[in-house]
């Protein structure tokens, strides 16, 4: 912890990366995961505030990185499929601070955002996810710089985890994915507050919501 390393390339043969393995390595800027790794704890790079590059080596059958986003993956019917948005490094940079994953290749297979996936990512203010997302795991956007969150069309009430937007102090509004798409299980009012479809259960008031008079 509080290590002086700036770049780490882990050795082939490594199978697991445990909880808090690199936590608070604030000088770490680049980390490469070998092909042999089959399991990674969700908090393995928490508080690595300078980490801009997290890369999984090509050939790993459980994880894959594309455009700064690491996914879990698997093989079904002979084809590679991506299932969960696993992790984005905290110092990753995005054009105009926007991350649009709604048109990502194989996005039809992505169904969840993993715990700690966007933990501490400060350089993203707007996020659009694939319509196929049904689940936000606990604390998946914790302490990130999010201002506007476009609610995925298929997100379910049961899939709304515990405190997914914890410590998102800049979060101002929720929005549907587009004006043409109606959410299947949620409703966003004119003030950007999130309710269930029946409008009888309040799910989330944005952390930085300004009361309208």
């Amino acid at each position: 912890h509080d290590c002086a390393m700036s770049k780490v390339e882990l050795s082939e043969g490594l199978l697991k990366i445990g909880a808090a393995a690199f936590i608070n390595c604030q000088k770490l800027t680049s980390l490469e995961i070998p092909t042999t790794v089959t399991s990674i704890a969700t908090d393995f790079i928490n508080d690595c505030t300078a980490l801009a590059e997290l890369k999984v080596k090509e050939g790993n059958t459980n994880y894959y990185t594309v455009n700064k986003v690491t996914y879990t993956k698997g093989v079904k019917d002979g084809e590679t499929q991506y299932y969960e948005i696993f992790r984005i490094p905290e110092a990753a940079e995005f054009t105009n601070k926007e991350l649009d994953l709604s048109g990502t290749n194989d996005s039809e297979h992505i169904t969840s955002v993993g715990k700690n996936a966007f933990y501490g990512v400060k350089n993203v203010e707007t996020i659009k996810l694939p319509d196929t997302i049904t689940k936000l795991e606990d604390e998946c956007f914790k302490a990130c710089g999010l201002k506007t969150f476009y609610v995925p069309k298929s997100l379910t009430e049961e899939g709304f985890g515990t405190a997914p937007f914890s410590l998102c102090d800049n979060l101002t509004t929720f929005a549907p994915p587009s004006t043409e798409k109606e959410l299947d299980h949620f409703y966003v009012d004119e003030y950007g507050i999130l309710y269930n479809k029946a409008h009888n259960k309040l799910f989330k008031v944005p952390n930085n919501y300004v009361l309208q008079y």
Side-chain angles (χ1 to χ4, degrees):
H1 295 183
D2 196 22
C3 59
M5 298 178 294
S6 62
K7 183 176 181 179
V8 174
E9 183 176 344
L10 299 172
S11 300
E12 291 294 327
L14 184 69
L15 296 177
K16 296 184 178 181
I17 301 175
F22 294 95
I23 196 169
N24 202 37
C25 286
Q26 296 187 10
K27 295 180 181 179
L28 185 64
T29 60
S30 177
L31 176 62
E32 188 169 62
I33 308 297
T35 63
T36 50
V37 167
T38 60
S39 175
I40 305 175
T42 62
D43 66 347
F44 77 117
I45 51 171
N46 280 16
D47 299 314
C48 293
T49 54
L51 185 62
E53 181 182 37
L54 173 64
K55 183 180 180 181
V56 178
K57 281 188 175 180
E58 189 174 348
N60 189 299
T61 58
N62 297 278
Y63 300 92
Y64 182 75
T65 303
V66 59
N67 296 330
K68 304 175 186 177
V69 180
T70 297
Y71 302 87
T72 63
K73 70 175 183 178
V75 177
K76 183 177 181 181
D77 299 328
E79 293 185 0
T80 299
Q81 296 183 356
Y82 306 89
Y83 300 114
E84 180 179 83
I85 298 170
F86 178 70
R87 197 67 200 241
I88 295 88
E90 292 184 36
E93 297 276 354
F94 298 97
T95 303
N96 298 322
K97 295 190 175 183
E98 297 177 354
L99 179 58
D100 187 354
L101 299 177
S102 59
T104 303
N105 289 341
D106 297 298
S107 61
E108 68 270 19
H109 303 301
I110 301 170
T111 58
S112 64
V113 181
K115 184 175 181 178
N116 288 314
F118 287 85
Y119 179 95
V121 181
K122 300 300 185 185
N123 296 314
V124 61
E125 296 179 350
T126 301
I127 298 174
K128 289 185 178 182
L129 298 172
D131 284 343
T132 50
I133 293 287
T134 61
K135 189 171 186 178
L136 303 180
E137 296 285 0
D138 301 348
E139 300 183 333
C140 56
F141 295 101
K142 185 175 181 178
C144 77
L146 187 62
K147 289 185 177 181
T148 301
F149 180 71
Y150 290 90
V151 183
K153 184 178 186 298
S154 301
L155 180 66
T156 67
E157 290 189 42
E158 296 77 13
F160 195 91
T162 301
F165 301 98
S166 170
L167 302 180
C168 290
D169 295 336
N170 296 324
L171 182 60
T172 303
T173 187
F174 292 97
S178 72
T179 55
E180 294 80 23
K181 291 181 180 178
E182 184 176 345
L183 298 173
D184 292 342
H185 305 282
F186 286 92
Y187 167 76
V188 178
D189 73 4
E190 63 269 32
Y191 303 114
I193 297 173
L194 188 65
Y195 296 84
N196 67 338
K197 189 76 168 182
H199 305 188
N200 58 15
K201 181 177 180 180
L202 174 62
F203 263 82
K204 180 62 180 168
V205 176
N207 299 19
N208 197 31
Y209 173 74
V210 178
L211 184 64
Q212 305 292 319
Y213 292 97

